[in-house]
Amino acid sequence: MSQPFPAPRPTRLLAPDATGIAEAAALLRAGGLVALPTETVYGLAADATSGTAVAGIYAAKERPSFNPLISHLPDLASARRQGLFDANALALARAFWPGPLTLVVPAAPGCTVSELARAGLTSVALRVPAHPVAHAVLEAAGRPIAAPSANRSGRISATTAAHALADLEGRIDAVLDAGPTEVGVESTIVACLDGAPRLLRPGGVPREAIEGVIGRPLVLAGEAGHAPLSPGLLASHYAPAAGMRLEAQAPLAGEAWLGFGPGPDYPASLNLSPAGDLREAAANLFGHMRKLDALGHGTIAVARIPQQGLGEAINDRLRRAAAPR
């Protein structure tokens, strides 16, 4: 079930300067909602320690309340006050933080992240983002900040302030505009709960890089029959209004086309990366999906994306966008 949607409110656009950062932090400390940039996507931020503020995220996003939220911290020391890090979690944090990696760890005895943000679980999902504006807001706010992607639940994630406004204007207090995000897909999520790290969601840090740090293959977490341990594990997610036809050779009559790599141009088409660069494709993914969806075609045909490196995260998002709903 979704939380009830609150009454409309004015949404301010803040600049990524000292004044805007201070205003964003003040809004968060007061229980407000602010869309802010990270290196992955724009996040819809609220005070993770306040159940009321977190409920505002669920209401604005119309998000299923059993799906836990990632709490963002300015540094590893702050994260260790919220969660219990085993040797694997500590090694991964030191290797990839700040950066696009989320670690799901047991909640520390003194964890201040609200039960609602953790969806009632005994674990907590933590990340230290690399974006300088996000880092400045976290430092100024002085508390864990929950920040799922700044879009309504199930819709395409926001990689610009305009995307966040398109979905959330009138539902949140402010958007802090620092331009387009760099990575373009959400963080990789790894659970370090019972010895063997498990990959819960592919994302901005490739699986191979993580396995290089822990010295073993990642276990793939099963989803069926269990409440999600982390964000991004619902079957239908990142969904445009149009249907999605994956691994297509070419568009059929009446379809829009999302291409990858060299190839012919078609009507109503965009290419994630004409050069076949997966990093460029990841950065363009949600923006291109939004643009094609806005054209109003019933289906978006999608070229095959290699299943390697960031391609794993891209394909994960495409499969969720194409899931029945």
Side-chain angles (χ1 to χ4, degrees):
M1 295 177 60
S2 299
Q3 300 294 321
F5 175 58
R9 66 180 90 175
T11 300
R12 298 155 56 193
L13 191 64
L14 304 179
D17 55 17
T19 299
I21 288 166
E23 290 184 16
L27 284 168
L28 293 171
R29 289 194 301 271
L33 300 176
V34 179
L36 55 82
T38 75
E39 73 278 20
T40 56
V41 298
Y42 272 70
L44 177 53
D47 180 358
T49 70
S50 165
T52 301
V54 171
I57 291 178
Y58 292 129
K61 286 177 63 69
E62 302 175 22
R63 181 184 184 128
S65 59
F66 54 80
N67 206 4
L69 305 180
I70 297 169
S71 292
H72 296 68
L73 289 306
D75 50 45
L76 175 56
S78 301
R80 294 185 77 176
R81 289 193 284 272
Q82 302 298 327
L84 301 176
F85 285 63
D86 63 14
N88 285 314
L90 201 54
L92 290 171
R94 287 171 173 161
F96 299 112
W97 280 358
L101 174 69
T102 293
L103 295 173
V104 178
V105 297
C111 179
T112 60
V113 175
S114 69
E115 285 283 336
L116 187 58
R118 293 190 283 126
L121 300 174
T122 58
S123 57
V124 62
L126 303 172
R127 183 163 95 86
V128 176
H131 197 290
V133 173
H135 184 268
V137 172
L138 292 172
E139 288 278 8
R143 63 198 66 189
I145 297 297
S149 57
N151 55 279
R152 278 189 270 173
S153 186
R155 296 196 181 182
I156 302 168
S157 297
T159 54
T160 69
H163 294 162
L165 278 171
D167 259 13
L168 298 172
E169 187 168 12
R171 295 172 173 240
I172 65 176
D173 297 292
V175 176
L176 186 56
D177 185 359
T181 62
E182 179 182 352
V183 177
V185 293
E186 288 91 343
S187 60
T188 303
I189 303 180
V190 174
C192 296
L193 297 170
D194 51 10
R198 288 182 290 159
L199 179 65
L200 300 185
R201 181 181 75 184
V205 177
R207 182 204 307 220
E208 298 89 338
I210 294 169
E211 291 174 341
V213 170
I214 63 175
R216 71 178 85 172
L218 277 169
V219 176
L220 299 183
E223 298 172 17
H226 301 283
L229 284 173
S230 73
L233 295 186
L234 298 180
S236 178
H237 209 54
Y238 317 104
M244 304 284 287
R245 186 168 66 88
L246 305 185
E247 299 197 1
Q249 298 295 319
L252 302 176
E255 292 183 333
W257 174 249
L258 185 60
F260 176 79
D265 290 328
Y266 298 101
S269 68
L270 289 171
N271 196 314
L272 292 170
S273 174
D277 184 325
L278 288 170
R279 182 171 178 176
E280 181 185 15
N284 286 331
L285 178 62
F286 291 125
H288 280 15
M289 286 172 64
R290 279 180 178 272
K291 289 175 183 176
L292 290 177
D293 197 35
L295 298 179
H297 293 263
T299 302
I300 301 171
V302 185
R304 182 182 179 277
I305 310 295
Q307 183 73 11
Q308 63 198 41
L310 286 177
E312 185 175 22
I314 294 168
N315 282 308
D316 174 77
R317 301 304 185 274
L318 290 170
R319 284 191 297 271
R320 293 180 190 279
R325 53 188 187 274

